[in-house]
C-alpha cells in the first residue's frame, strides 16, 4: 500500500510538534495526578510520576517523562458513580480510544475490559470505580477545574 501525499504531509507536519505535545501531556498528567491525589472523592491515583506509585523508582530510572496516561479510583466503588462523573466532564471526552491530543476518559468496564464480567474484572484487580484518563494538551487549569466540578456532588 502506498501513502497518500496528503497523509504524508500531515504525518510530517505532526512530527514537527510531537515533542511539544508529549511534553505538554506529561506536564498535564502530572498536575492532574497531583490534584486527584489530594481530592476527597478519590481513593487512589495510579500514575508512575507520583512518589506514592509502587513503580515510581523504576519509572524514574527508565523514563524521561511519565506519559499522559493515568487512572484513578473513586471512593464510591460503583460503575454508577463512574458514569455520573464522566457525564459531568466537559473537557474529557468518553471514548474507548485513549490516544489523542484531546483528553479522553473511560472506565475499563465499558472500554478495554468490556467483554469481561464484573467478577472477571474483580479477579484481575480492576475495581468498578476505576477511571482511565488519557491527558491531552488542553489548558491545565481547565482540566483541573473540569475534574473538580465533575467530582463534586
Amino acid at each position: 500500500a502506498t501513502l497518500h501525499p496528503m497523509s504524508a504531509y500531515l504525518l510530517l507536519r505532526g512530527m514537527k510538534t510531537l515533542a511539544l505535545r508529549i511534553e505538554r501531556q506529561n506536564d498535564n498528567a502530572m498536575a492532574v495526578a497531583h490534584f486527584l491525589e489530594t481530592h476527597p472523592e478519590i481513593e487512589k491515583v495510579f500514575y508512575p510520576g507520583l512518589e506514592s506509585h509502587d513503580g515510581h523508582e523504576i519509572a524514574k530510572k527508565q523514563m524521561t517523562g511519565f506519559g499522559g496516561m493515568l487512572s484513578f479510583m473513586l471512593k464510591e466503588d460503583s460503575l454508577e458513580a463512574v458514569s455520573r462523573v464522566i457525564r459531568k466532564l466537559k473537557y474529557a471526552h468518553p471514548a474507548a480510544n485513549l490516544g489523542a491530543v484531546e483528553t479522553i476518559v473511560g472506565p475499563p468496564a465499558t472500554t478495554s475490559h468490556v467483554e469481561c464480567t464484573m467478577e472477571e474484572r474483580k479477579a484481575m484487580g480492576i475495581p468498578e470505580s476505576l477511571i482511565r484518563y488519557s491527558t491531552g494538551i488542553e489548558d491545565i487549569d481547565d482540566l483541573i477545574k473540569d475534574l473538580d466540578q465533575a467530582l463534586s456532588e
Side-chain angles (χ1 to χ4, degrees), residues 20-124:
L20 294 171
R21 289 181 280 128
I22 296 299
E23 183 179 341
R24 178 68 171 261
Q25 282 181 305
N26 284 337
D27 292 346
N28 280 358
M30 182 66 85
V32 165
H34 280 296
F35 165 75
L36 291 171
E37 194 171 42
T38 61
H39 198 283
E41 298 298 319
I42 301 301
E43 180 68 29
K44 186 166 175 123
V45 179
F46 302 94
Y47 185 65
L50 294 175
E51 290 183 13
S52 61
H53 189 274
D54 292 341
H56 178 70
E57 289 305 315
I58 292 170
K60 273 189 355 185
K61 292 175 187 171
Q62 294 178 344
M63 305 168 139
T64 56
F66 298 104
M69 187 72 195
L70 60 104
S71 59
F72 56 95
M73 288 172 49
L74 302 176
K75 284 201 173 161
E76 184 181 335
D77 189 17
S78 72
L79 195 52
E80 182 180 306
V82 168
S83 296
R84 188 173 58 244
V85 168
I86 289 175
R87 277 195 311 270
K88 290 168 76 176
L89 290 169
K90 296 179 176 102
Y91 286 95
H93 308 286
N97 173 11
L98 296 173
V101 294
E102 52 278 324
T103 298
I104 307 290
V105 65
T110 62
T111 57
S112 61
H113 293 79
V114 68
E115 294 182 13
C116 300
T117 65
M118 181 171 45
E119 292 77 22
E120 289 171 329
R121 286 190 298 273
K122 186 175 182 177
M124 289 184 267

